[in-house]
Amino acid sequence: MQRHLITGGAGFLGSHLCDRLVERGEDVLCVDNFFTGDKRNVAHLLGNSRFELLRHDVTFPLYVEVDRIFNLACPASPVHYQHDPVQTTKTSVHGAINMLGLAKRVKARILQASTSEVYGDPEIHPQPEAYWGRVNPIGFRSCYDEGKRCAETLFFDYFRQHRLEIKVVRIFNTYGPRMHPNDGRVVSNFIVQALRGEDITIYGDGTQTRSFCYVDDLIEAMLRMMDTPADFTGPLNIGNPGEFTMIELAERVMSLVGGRSKLEFRPLPADDPRQRQPDISLAKQAIQWEPKVALDDGLRETVSYFKTLLSK
Ligand code: NAD
Ligand code: UDP
Ligand code: UDP
């Protein structure tokens, strides 16, 4: 049995990770400042003696004794990470320094939840790990993109300088139950709008693409990555290569939900990447993983989650 620290553990991905680890019989310390996370995401675990919840902001030092750290703390939706951009960079950078300092002191293995945003608006398609990306350093998305890039730099410098056991995963757009209904990301927006009979907000002309991974597939990949041999650091892309335009996504959501929503076109946010698709060749080889859940099946689960949530 290992003692795990999950920062950002009350968020969308973090809470699913807490579930899986507790199910596996591991000890879990969930740390969150509840900026975009919610206690309700982990409320069902509170009675479990293997689970602890601590309100804490990772930009401040944290002294605990653990064997493994999953560093997920950071708002992930553009609306939220741009709300207080200075805090976003601090969370990524100071948060990474503190968690790496902790990992160094207690000799813990540490995994960073990085992002496909490190590739920016990519000129190479699909994106392999070797691609260095095309990121605007001074735009509205930079607090997140550059914050995450700097966190990767810190991880690799602690690896080289202090011989830490690091794992870096670059997560592509992931969706599923427990996304925040006002999260602002496209899947939750479209589903909530369709369920409320509101128009579906398409930013730009809707021909930009994303590749959507269902949360269960993603968590399986993160757990496998954490268990890889010590010399495997990544970075490792994880995501579903199925690529869709936002119009296609809207049509699928509307056909699952029914109703009479129409498409409403709004201006495209600045620096919104045109296209995104993970090259997962390395994941197939290194962790024998590829996603199993098709978009329609994952959307069905997510629609049913939001239906229950909105009816409360
Ligand atoms: P989320 O917003 O639901 O979760 C982030 C969690 O971090 C929240 O619970 C939030 O309260 C917490 N948090 C934020 N700042 C904090 C701080 N300073 N101290 C402590 N806790 C803090 O988002 P998510 O989708 O679950 O994302 C989790 C991680 O995965 C993030 O690091 C994100 O960048 C990364 N990621 C997610 C996706 C995706 O599509 N879901 C894609 C790429 C990367
Ligand atoms: N740190 C932490 N918990 C620990 C050990 C360190 O939060 O258990 C923080 C501490 O605030 C420190 C940072 O991690 O500033 C980086 O630690 P490191 O040992 O790498 O550097 P230093 O202490 O020399 O700044
Ligand atoms: N988007 C959209 N309507 C929405 C929310 C988002 O058309 O209501 C678009 C957004 O402009 C982007 C894509 O959907 O092109 C994915 O956006 P999201 O914020 O989910 O993730 P990211 O841009 O970080 O990949």
Side-chain angles (χ1 to χ4, degrees), residues 61-63 97-98 101-102 104-105 158:
L62 176 68
Y63 288 83
I97 292 174
N98 287 329
L102 168 62
K104 185 179 124 197
R105 182 178 63 78
Y158 270 79

Side-chain angles (χ1 to χ4, degrees), residues 17-38:
L17 195 53
C18 290
D19 279 347
R20 284 288 302 274
L21 288 167
V22 169
E23 261 167 43
R24 241 168 58 169
E26 316 265 10
D27 264 358
V28 173
L29 169 59
C30 168
V31 163
D32 205 295
N33 70 349
F34 303 119
F35 173 49
T36 51
D38 195 319

Side-chain angles (χ1 to χ4, degrees), residues 71-134:
N71 188 36
L72 274 67
C74 186
S77 145
V79 177
H80 288 127
Y81 70 64
Q82 291 171 25
H83 169 74
D84 184 352
V86 173
Q87 173 66 13
T88 300
T89 304
K90 281 187 189 167
T91 292
S92 275
V93 177
H94 292 181
I97 292 174
N98 287 329
M99 292 310 107
L100 287 161
L102 168 62
K104 185 179 124 197
R105 182 178 63 78
V106 301
K107 298 191 172 44
R109 181 175 277 208
I110 180 166
L111 179 146
Q112 168 68 359
S114 190
T115 167
S116 53
E117 290 283 323
V118 301
Y119 302 123
D121 191 6
E123 319 96 320
I124 292 186
H125 195 74
Q127 294 80 52
E129 289 84 351
Y131 177 49
W132 289 355
R134 184 164 73 120

